[in-house]
PDB file of all heavy atoms in Angstrom:
ATOM      1  N   SER A   1       6.048  24.185  -5.204  1.00 92.00           N
ATOM      2  CA  SER A   1       4.802  24.415  -5.877  1.00 92.00           C
ATOM      3  C   SER A   1       3.834  23.286  -5.619  1.00 92.00           C
ATOM      4  O   SER A   1       2.586  23.412  -5.765  1.00 92.00           O
ATOM      5  CB  SER A   1       4.952  24.601  -7.455  1.00 92.00           C
ATOM      6  OG  SER A   1       5.572  23.447  -7.945  1.00 92.00           O
ATOM      7  N   ALA A   2       4.337  22.067  -5.305  1.00 93.00           N
ATOM      8  CA  ALA A   2       3.561  20.928  -4.953  1.00 93.00           C
ATOM      9  C   ALA A   2       3.384  20.796  -3.454  1.00 93.00           C
ATOM     10  O   ALA A   2       2.838  19.760  -2.988  1.00 93.00           O
ATOM     11  CB  ALA A   2       4.168  19.697  -5.471  1.00 93.00           C
ATOM     12  N   GLY A   3       3.890  21.781  -2.720  1.00 92.00           N
ATOM     13  CA  GLY A   3       3.696  21.701  -1.236  1.00 92.00           C
ATOM     14  C   GLY A   3       4.964  21.261  -0.521  1.00 92.00           C
ATOM     15  O   GLY A   3       4.916  21.095   0.717  1.00 92.00           O
ATOM     16  N   GLY A   4       6.018  20.989  -1.253  1.00 93.00           N
ATOM     17  CA  GLY A   4       7.232  20.478  -0.595  1.00 93.00           C
ATOM     18  C   GLY A   4       7.953  21.585   0.117  1.00 93.00           C
ATOM     19  O   GLY A   4       8.150  22.646  -0.385  1.00 93.00           O
ATOM     20  N   SER A   5       8.361  21.346   1.321  1.00 89.00           N
ATOM     21  CA  SER A   5       9.099  22.341   2.149  1.00 89.00           C
ATOM     22  C   SER A   5      10.602  22.142   1.949  1.00 89.00           C
ATOM     23  O   SER A   5      11.336  23.085   2.306  1.00 89.00           O
ATOM     24  CB  SER A   5       8.776  22.159   3.602  1.00 89.00           C
ATOM     25  OG  SER A   5       9.080  20.886   4.153  1.00 89.00           O
ATOM     26  N   MET A   6      10.986  21.037   1.402  1.00 93.00           N
ATOM     27  CA  MET A   6      12.430  20.788   1.181  1.00 93.00           C
ATOM     28  C   MET A   6      12.671  20.452  -0.324  1.00 93.00           C
ATOM     29  O   MET A   6      11.904  19.633  -0.943  1.00 93.00           O
ATOM     30  CB  MET A   6      12.910  19.584   2.056  1.00 93.00           C
ATOM     31  CG  MET A   6      12.670  19.726   3.547  1.00 93.00           C
ATOM     32  SD  MET A   6      13.653  20.994   4.245  1.00 93.00           S
ATOM     33  CE  MET A   6      15.241  20.327   4.077  1.00 93.00           C
ATOM     34  N   VAL A   7      13.739  20.975  -0.872  1.00 95.00           N
ATOM     35  CA  VAL A   7      14.054  20.600  -2.243  1.00 95.00           C
ATOM     36  C   VAL A   7      14.649  19.169  -2.291  1.00 95.00           C
ATOM     37  O   VAL A   7      14.349  18.447  -3.317  1.00 95.00           O
ATOM     38  CB  VAL A   7      15.082  21.606  -2.813  1.00 95.00           C
ATOM     39  CG1 VAL A   7      15.691  21.149  -4.136  1.00 95.00           C
ATOM     40  CG2 VAL A   7      14.456  22.992  -3.004  1.00 95.00           C
ATOM     41  N   HIS A   8      15.332  18.733  -1.313  1.00 97.00           N
ATOM     42  CA  HIS A   8      15.923  17.411  -1.250  1.00 97.00           C
ATOM     43  C   HIS A   8      14.742  16.378  -1.413  1.00 97.00           C
ATOM     44  O   HIS A   8      13.854  16.375  -0.596  1.00 97.00           O
ATOM     45  CB  HIS A   8      16.678  17.198   0.058  1.00 97.00           C
ATOM     46  CG  HIS A   8      17.532  16.020   0.060  1.00 97.00           C
ATOM     47  ND1 HIS A   8      18.922  16.149   0.375  1.00 97.00           N
ATOM     48  CD2 HIS A   8      17.351  14.721  -0.222  1.00 97.00           C
ATOM     49  CE1 HIS A   8      19.489  14.968   0.324  1.00 97.00           C
ATOM     50  NE2 HIS A   8      18.547  14.029  -0.049  1.00 97.00           N
ATOM     51  N   PRO A   9      14.729  15.550  -2.462  1.00 96.00           N
ATOM     52  CA  PRO A   9      13.611  14.691  -2.701  1.00 96.00           C
ATOM     53  C   PRO A   9      13.431  13.622  -1.658  1.00 96.00           C
ATOM     54  O   PRO A   9      14.412  13.032  -1.099  1.00 96.00           O
ATOM     55  CB  PRO A   9      13.968  14.020  -4.090  1.00 96.00           C
ATOM     56  CG  PRO A   9      15.399  14.136  -4.198  1.00 96.00           C
ATOM     57  CD  PRO A   9      15.812  15.408  -3.468  1.00 96.00           C
ATOM     58  N   HIS A  10      12.167  13.390  -1.263  1.00 97.00           N
ATOM     59  CA  HIS A  10      11.891  12.408  -0.297  1.00 97.00           C
ATOM     60  C   HIS A  10      10.370  12.068  -0.388  1.00 97.00           C
ATOM     61  O   HIS A  10       9.570  12.721  -1.021  1.00 97.00           O
ATOM     62  CB  HIS A  10      12.110  12.978   1.127  1.00 97.00           C
ATOM     63  CG  HIS A  10      11.361  14.248   1.418  1.00 97.00           C
ATOM     64  ND1 HIS A  10      11.782  15.488   0.945  1.00 97.00           N
ATOM     65  CD2 HIS A  10      10.205  14.484   2.115  1.00 97.00           C
ATOM     66  CE1 HIS A  10      10.804  16.423   1.302  1.00 97.00           C
ATOM     67  NE2 HIS A  10       9.892  15.819   2.056  1.00 97.00           N
ATOM     68  N   LEU A  11      10.013  10.924   0.220  1.00 97.00           N
ATOM     69  CA  LEU A  11       8.639  10.504   0.413  1.00 97.00           C
ATOM     70  C   LEU A  11       8.170  10.759   1.822  1.00 97.00           C
ATOM     71  O   LEU A  11       9.047  10.673   2.764  1.00 97.00           O
ATOM     72  CB  LEU A  11       8.481   9.000   0.048  1.00 97.00           C
ATOM     73  CG  LEU A  11       8.819   8.563  -1.403  1.00 97.00           C
ATOM     74  CD1 LEU A  11       8.618   7.067  -1.524  1.00 97.00           C
ATOM     75  CD2 LEU A  11       7.913   9.276  -2.410  1.00 97.00           C
ATOM     76  N   GLN A  12       6.859  10.974   2.005  1.00 97.00           N
ATOM     77  CA  GLN A  12       6.271  11.058   3.291  1.00 97.00           C
ATOM     78  C   GLN A  12       5.567   9.700   3.571  1.00 97.00           C
ATOM     79  O   GLN A  12       4.895   9.182   2.697  1.00 97.00           O
ATOM     80  CB  GLN A  12       5.361  12.196   3.473  1.00 97.00           C
ATOM     81  CG  GLN A  12       5.960  13.571   3.342  1.00 97.00           C
ATOM     82  CD  GLN A  12       5.940  14.050   1.937  1.00 97.00           C
ATOM     83  OE1 GLN A  12       5.123  13.607   1.125  1.00 97.00           O
ATOM     84  NE2 GLN A  12       6.861  14.917   1.601  1.00 97.00           N
ATOM     85  N   VAL A  13       5.649   9.230   4.813  1.00 97.00           N
ATOM     86  CA  VAL A  13       4.966   7.962   5.193  1.00 97.00           C
ATOM     87  C   VAL A  13       4.024   8.336   6.347  1.00 97.00           C
ATOM     88  O   VAL A  13       4.401   8.972   7.275  1.00 97.00           O
ATOM     89  CB  VAL A  13       5.955   6.903   5.573  1.00 97.00           C
ATOM     90  CG1 VAL A  13       5.394   5.523   5.473  1.00 97.00           C
ATOM     91  CG2 VAL A  13       7.284   6.979   4.791  1.00 97.00           C
ATOM     92  N   HIS A  14       2.844   7.704   6.263  1.00 97.00           N
ATOM     93  CA  HIS A  14       1.815   8.059   7.309  1.00 97.00           C
ATOM     94  C   HIS A  14       1.095   6.747   7.721  1.00 97.00           C
ATOM     95  O   HIS A  14       0.794   5.847   6.952  1.00 97.00           O
ATOM     96  CB  HIS A  14       0.711   8.995   6.633  1.00 97.00           C
ATOM     97  CG  HIS A  14       1.246  10.157   5.911  1.00 97.00           C
ATOM     98  ND1 HIS A  14       1.668  11.283   6.434  1.00 97.00           N
ATOM     99  CD2 HIS A  14       1.480  10.316   4.606  1.00 97.00           C
ATOM    100  CE1 HIS A  14       2.117  12.118   5.567  1.00 97.00           C
ATOM    101  NE2 HIS A  14       2.034  11.513   4.386  1.00 97.00           N
ATOM    102  N   ALA A  15       0.849   6.667   9.058  1.00 98.00           N
ATOM    103  CA  ALA A  15       0.044   5.606   9.669  1.00 98.00           C
ATOM    104  C   ALA A  15      -0.721   6.189  10.818  1.00 98.00           C
ATOM    105  O   ALA A  15      -0.142   6.918  11.585  1.00 98.00           O
ATOM    106  CB  ALA A  15       0.929   4.407  10.062  1.00 98.00           C
ATOM    107  N   ASP A  16      -2.024   5.967  10.827  1.00 97.00           N
ATOM    108  CA  ASP A  16      -2.810   6.532  11.818  1.00 97.00           C
ATOM    109  C   ASP A  16      -4.043   5.784  12.177  1.00 97.00           C
ATOM    110  O   ASP A  16      -4.532   4.981  11.304  1.00 97.00           O
ATOM    111  CB  ASP A  16      -3.298   7.964  11.340  1.00 97.00           C
ATOM    112  CG  ASP A  16      -3.621   8.960  12.411  1.00 97.00           C
ATOM    113  OD1 ASP A  16      -4.166   8.527  13.506  1.00 97.00           O
ATOM    114  OD2 ASP A  16      -3.395  10.126  12.270  1.00 97.00           O
ATOM    115  N   ARG A  17      -4.480   5.840  13.399  1.00 98.00           N
ATOM    116  CA  ARG A  17      -5.728   5.157  13.839  1.00 98.00           C
ATOM    117  C   ARG A  17      -6.945   5.802  13.168  1.00 98.00           C
ATOM    118  O   ARG A  17      -7.941   5.124  12.858  1.00 98.00           O
ATOM    119  CB  ARG A  17      -5.878   5.178  15.350  1.00 98.00           C
ATOM    120  CG  ARG A  17      -7.178   4.552  15.909  1.00 98.00           C
ATOM    121  CD  ARG A  17      -7.160   4.695  17.396  1.00 98.00           C
ATOM    122  NE  ARG A  17      -7.067   6.031  17.898  1.00 98.00           N
ATOM    123  CZ  ARG A  17      -8.083   6.904  18.010  1.00 98.00           C
ATOM    124  NH1 ARG A  17      -9.333   6.462  17.612  1.00 98.00           N
ATOM    125  NH2 ARG A  17      -7.927   8.099  18.438  1.00 98.00           N
ATOM    126  N   ILE A  18      -6.921   7.159  12.987  1.00 97.00           N
ATOM    127  CA  ILE A  18      -7.988   7.909  12.388  1.00 97.00           C
ATOM    128  C   ILE A  18      -7.708   8.061  10.884  1.00 97.00           C
ATOM    129  O   ILE A  18      -6.693   8.651  10.550  1.00 97.00           O
ATOM    130  CB  ILE A  18      -8.176   9.245  13.072  1.00 97.00           C
ATOM    131  CG1 ILE A  18      -8.373   9.045  14.570  1.00 97.00           C
ATOM    132  CG2 ILE A  18      -9.332  10.037  12.418  1.00 97.00           C
ATOM    133  CD1 ILE A  18      -8.442  10.277  15.379  1.00 97.00           C
ATOM    134  N   GLY A  19      -8.633   7.622  10.016  1.00 96.00           N
ATOM    135  CA  GLY A  19      -8.428   7.751   8.596  1.00 96.00           C
ATOM    136  C   GLY A  19      -8.595   9.182   8.143  1.00 96.00           C
ATOM    137  O   GLY A  19      -9.440   9.978   8.728  1.00 96.00           O
ATOM    138  N   ALA A  20      -7.951   9.535   7.037  1.00 96.00           N
ATOM    139  CA  ALA A  20      -8.139  10.788   6.326  1.00 96.00           C
ATOM    140  C   ALA A  20      -9.412  10.679   5.552  1.00 96.00           C
ATOM    141  O   ALA A  20      -9.955   9.579   5.368  1.00 96.00           O
ATOM    142  CB  ALA A  20      -6.954  11.075   5.406  1.00 96.00           C
ATOM    143  N   ASN A  21      -9.897  11.788   5.063  1.00 95.00           N
ATOM    144  CA  ASN A  21     -11.159  11.826   4.307  1.00 95.00           C
ATOM    145  C   ASN A  21     -11.188  10.846   3.133  1.00 95.00           C
ATOM    146  O   ASN A  21     -12.153  10.095   2.984  1.00 95.00           O
ATOM    147  CB  ASN A  21     -11.472  13.263   3.757  1.00 95.00           C
ATOM    148  CG  ASN A  21     -11.825  14.197   4.900  1.00 95.00           C
ATOM    149  OD1 ASN A  21     -12.565  13.853   5.792  1.00 95.00           O
ATOM    150  ND2 ASN A  21     -11.368  15.403   4.824  1.00 95.00           N
ATOM    151  N   HIS A  22     -10.159  10.821   2.291  1.00 96.00           N
ATOM    152  CA  HIS A  22     -10.150   9.888   1.160  1.00 96.00           C
ATOM    153  C   HIS A  22     -10.121   8.458   1.589  1.00 96.00           C
ATOM    154  O   HIS A  22     -10.812   7.582   1.010  1.00 96.00           O
ATOM    155  CB  HIS A  22      -8.898  10.175   0.287  1.00 96.00           C
ATOM    156  CG  HIS A  22      -9.043  11.516  -0.530  1.00 96.00           C
ATOM    157  ND1 HIS A  22     -10.227  12.121  -0.731  1.00 96.00           N
ATOM    158  CD2 HIS A  22      -8.136  12.190  -1.147  1.00 96.00           C
ATOM    159  CE1 HIS A  22     -10.015  13.177  -1.438  1.00 96.00           C
ATOM    160  NE2 HIS A  22      -8.740  13.256  -1.717  1.00 96.00           N
ATOM    161  N   GLN A  23      -9.342   8.193   2.594  1.00 97.00           N
ATOM    162  CA  GLN A  23      -9.293   6.798   3.127  1.00 97.00           C
ATOM    163  C   GLN A  23     -10.641   6.248   3.594  1.00 97.00           C
ATOM    164  O   GLN A  23     -11.016   5.131   3.207  1.00 97.00           O
ATOM    165  CB  GLN A  23      -8.210   6.645   4.243  1.00 97.00           C
ATOM    166  CG  GLN A  23      -6.855   6.776   3.703  1.00 97.00           C
ATOM    167  CD  GLN A  23      -5.793   6.978   4.802  1.00 97.00           C
ATOM    168  OE1 GLN A  23      -6.075   7.738   5.721  1.00 97.00           O
ATOM    169  NE2 GLN A  23      -4.653   6.341   4.725  1.00 97.00           N
ATOM    170  N   ARG A  24     -11.285   7.075   4.384  1.00 97.00           N
ATOM    171  CA  ARG A  24     -12.600   6.661   4.933  1.00 97.00           C
ATOM    172  C   ARG A  24     -13.639   6.536   3.844  1.00 97.00           C
ATOM    173  O   ARG A  24     -14.391   5.536   3.771  1.00 97.00           O
ATOM    174  CB  ARG A  24     -13.092   7.656   6.035  1.00 97.00           C
ATOM    175  CG  ARG A  24     -12.254   7.614   7.263  1.00 97.00           C
ATOM    176  CD  ARG A  24     -12.758   8.483   8.386  1.00 97.00           C
ATOM    177  NE  ARG A  24     -12.414   9.907   8.163  1.00 97.00           N
ATOM    178  CZ  ARG A  24     -13.268  10.827   7.736  1.00 97.00           C
ATOM    179  NH1 ARG A  24     -14.574  10.540   7.565  1.00 97.00           N
ATOM    180  NH2 ARG A  24     -12.886  12.064   7.586  1.00 97.00           N
ATOM    181  N   PHE A  25     -13.714   7.513   2.902  1.00 97.00           N
ATOM    182  CA  PHE A  25     -14.707   7.455   1.834  1.00 97.00           C
ATOM    183  C   PHE A  25     -14.439   6.257   0.934  1.00 97.00           C
ATOM    184  O   PHE A  25     -15.321   5.535   0.605  1.00 97.00           O
ATOM    185  CB  PHE A  25     -14.718   8.723   1.002  1.00 97.00           C
ATOM    186  CG  PHE A  25     -15.549   8.675  -0.171  1.00 97.00           C
ATOM    187  CD1 PHE A  25     -16.915   8.782  -0.144  1.00 97.00           C
ATOM    188  CD2 PHE A  25     -14.938   8.419  -1.421  1.00 97.00           C
ATOM    189  CE1 PHE A  25     -17.685   8.689  -1.318  1.00 97.00           C
ATOM    190  CE2 PHE A  25     -15.703   8.330  -2.551  1.00 97.00           C
ATOM    191  CZ  PHE A  25     -17.066   8.471  -2.495  1.00 97.00           C
ATOM    192  N   LEU A  26     -13.154   6.130   0.471  1.00 97.00           N
ATOM    193  CA  LEU A  26     -12.864   5.042  -0.501  1.00 97.00           C
ATOM    194  C   LEU A  26     -13.039   3.662   0.097  1.00 97.00           C
ATOM    195  O   LEU A  26     -13.447   2.741  -0.560  1.00 97.00           O
ATOM    196  CB  LEU A  26     -11.461   5.222  -1.099  1.00 97.00           C
ATOM    197  CG  LEU A  26     -11.243   6.440  -1.962  1.00 97.00           C
ATOM    198  CD1 LEU A  26      -9.813   6.653  -2.285  1.00 97.00           C
ATOM    199  CD2 LEU A  26     -12.090   6.260  -3.280  1.00 97.00           C
ATOM    200  N   TYR A  27     -12.708   3.563   1.420  1.00 98.00           N
ATOM    201  CA  TYR A  27     -12.900   2.261   2.115  1.00 98.00           C
ATOM    202  C   TYR A  27     -14.340   1.862   2.052  1.00 98.00           C
ATOM    203  O   TYR A  27     -14.636   0.681   1.754  1.00 98.00           O
ATOM    204  CB  TYR A  27     -12.333   2.366   3.560  1.00 98.00           C
ATOM    205  CG  TYR A  27     -12.570   1.090   4.349  1.00 98.00           C
ATOM    206  CD1 TYR A  27     -11.616   0.090   4.353  1.00 98.00           C
ATOM    207  CD2 TYR A  27     -13.698   0.895   5.150  1.00 98.00           C
ATOM    208  CE1 TYR A  27     -11.756  -1.089   5.126  1.00 98.00           C
ATOM    209  CE2 TYR A  27     -13.909  -0.246   5.887  1.00 98.00           C
ATOM    210  CZ  TYR A  27     -12.940  -1.226   5.799  1.00 98.00           C
ATOM    211  OH  TYR A  27     -13.096  -2.375   6.570  1.00 98.00           O
ATOM    212  N   ASP A  28     -15.217   2.739   2.413  1.00 98.00           N
ATOM    213  CA  ASP A  28     -16.669   2.477   2.405  1.00 98.00           C
ATOM    214  C   ASP A  28     -17.213   2.229   1.029  1.00 98.00           C
ATOM    215  O   ASP A  28     -18.017   1.335   0.782  1.00 98.00           O
ATOM    216  CB  ASP A  28     -17.440   3.699   3.031  1.00 98.00           C
ATOM    217  CG  ASP A  28     -17.241   3.795   4.510  1.00 98.00           C
ATOM    218  OD1 ASP A  28     -16.741   2.799   5.152  1.00 98.00           O
ATOM    219  OD2 ASP A  28     -17.540   4.802   5.088  1.00 98.00           O
ATOM    220  N   ARG A  29     -16.728   3.030   0.063  1.00 97.00           N
ATOM    221  CA  ARG A  29     -17.169   2.864  -1.374  1.00 97.00           C
ATOM    222  C   ARG A  29     -16.802   1.489  -1.881  1.00 97.00           C
ATOM    223  O   ARG A  29     -17.533   0.740  -2.518  1.00 97.00           O
ATOM    224  CB  ARG A  29     -16.535   3.976  -2.148  1.00 97.00           C
ATOM    225  CG  ARG A  29     -17.060   4.076  -3.638  1.00 97.00           C
ATOM    226  CD  ARG A  29     -18.420   4.598  -3.663  1.00 97.00           C
ATOM    227  NE  ARG A  29     -18.787   4.811  -5.096  1.00 97.00           N
ATOM    228  CZ  ARG A  29     -19.293   3.849  -5.897  1.00 97.00           C
ATOM    229  NH1 ARG A  29     -19.481   2.661  -5.411  1.00 97.00           N
ATOM    230  NH2 ARG A  29     -19.617   4.086  -7.114  1.00 97.00           N
ATOM    231  N   ALA A  30     -15.496   1.099  -1.594  1.00 98.00           N
ATOM    232  CA  ALA A  30     -15.011  -0.225  -2.171  1.00 98.00           C
ATOM    233  C   ALA A  30     -15.706  -1.387  -1.409  1.00 98.00           C
ATOM    234  O   ALA A  30     -15.944  -2.372  -2.073  1.00 98.00           O
ATOM    235  CB  ALA A  30     -13.506  -0.295  -1.915  1.00 98.00           C
ATOM    236  N   LEU A  31     -15.991  -1.227  -0.159  1.00 98.00           N
ATOM    237  CA  LEU A  31     -16.686  -2.253   0.604  1.00 98.00           C
ATOM    238  C   LEU A  31     -18.095  -2.478   0.075  1.00 98.00           C
ATOM    239  O   LEU A  31     -18.554  -3.619  -0.111  1.00 98.00           O
ATOM    240  CB  LEU A  31     -16.693  -1.974   2.045  1.00 98.00           C
ATOM    241  CG  LEU A  31     -17.163  -3.123   3.044  1.00 98.00           C
ATOM    242  CD1 LEU A  31     -16.387  -4.316   2.859  1.00 98.00           C
ATOM    243  CD2 LEU A  31     -17.215  -2.570   4.462  1.00 98.00           C
ATOM    244  N   THR A  32     -18.783  -1.355  -0.187  1.00 97.00           N
ATOM    245  CA  THR A  32     -20.153  -1.458  -0.687  1.00 97.00           C
ATOM    246  C   THR A  32     -20.174  -2.186  -2.059  1.00 97.00           C
ATOM    247  O   THR A  32     -21.059  -3.032  -2.334  1.00 97.00           O
ATOM    248  CB  THR A  32     -20.762  -0.040  -0.902  1.00 97.00           C
ATOM    249  OG1 THR A  32     -20.846   0.556   0.429  1.00 97.00           O
ATOM    250  CG2 THR A  32     -22.130  -0.119  -1.479  1.00 97.00           C
TER     251      THR A  32
END
């Protein structure tokens, strides 16, 4: 119901050159 494809509990880890929407917006907002 939260989008999990596996019942076995786990965390997802992400690293990318291109920021997601929240990352780009919050980065700019915090810097301002």
Side-chain angles (χ1 to χ4, degrees):
S1 62
S5 58
M6 305 291 295
V7 168
H8 196 124
H10 59 282
L11 297 177
Q12 297 89 24
V13 200
H14 314 276
D16 205 323
R17 177 179 58 83
I18 301 171
N21 288 320
H22 287 344
Q23 288 166 320
R24 290 184 284 107
F25 171 80
L26 291 173
Y27 178 87
D28 290 343
R29 186 76 173 83
L31 186 59
T32 299

